[in-house]
Amino acid sequence: MHVRRITEQNPPASGRVGFVVSKKVGNAVTRNRVKRRLRHLVGMLDAPVPADVVVRALPASAVEPERLAGDLADAWSRAFCKAAAC
């Protein structure tokens, strides 16, 4: 996961989130399923600072979907902690 803070004068209320799901994750159906799950989970997370985020799905995200929420939340908090320099 990569986070880039938005440093404009009037930043938008929320930033953009992009997803990278390679062919190593699975076929097109599997990749789209992983993207839908990630999109849903990111919608429930809040960003402490306005930022653009890139989420990269690893092959395990298709094999172990029950871990996806916890892993995403952990990566989200670590990435924003680094971006905010806490």
Side-chain angles (χ1 to χ4, degrees):
M1 179 172 303
H2 298 282
V3 175
R4 186 178 140 253
R5 291 182 69 168
I6 299 173
T7 57
E8 299 172 0
Q9 293 241 338
N10 297 319
S14 63
R16 297 172 290 194
V17 179
F19 301 98
V20 177
V21 184
S22 74
K23 287 187 178 182
K24 289 184 180 181
V25 173
N27 62 14
V29 174
T30 305
R31 292 192 309 267
N32 285 327
R33 184 179 298 131
V34 169
K35 280 190 276 190
R36 284 193 304 269
R37 285 182 183 144
L38 287 171
R39 204 173 294 126
H40 174 75
L41 293 170
V42 165
M44 295 188 298
L45 297 172
D46 59 335
V49 294
D52 292 334
V53 182
V54 176
V55 179
R56 179 175 170 247
L58 299 175
S61 60
V63 179
E64 302 176 37
E66 62 277 354
R67 287 185 47 198
L68 193 59
D71 290 347
L72 179 67
D74 291 341
W76 188 267
S77 62
R78 281 193 320 249
F80 272 98
C81 186
K82 285 182 182 179
C86 58

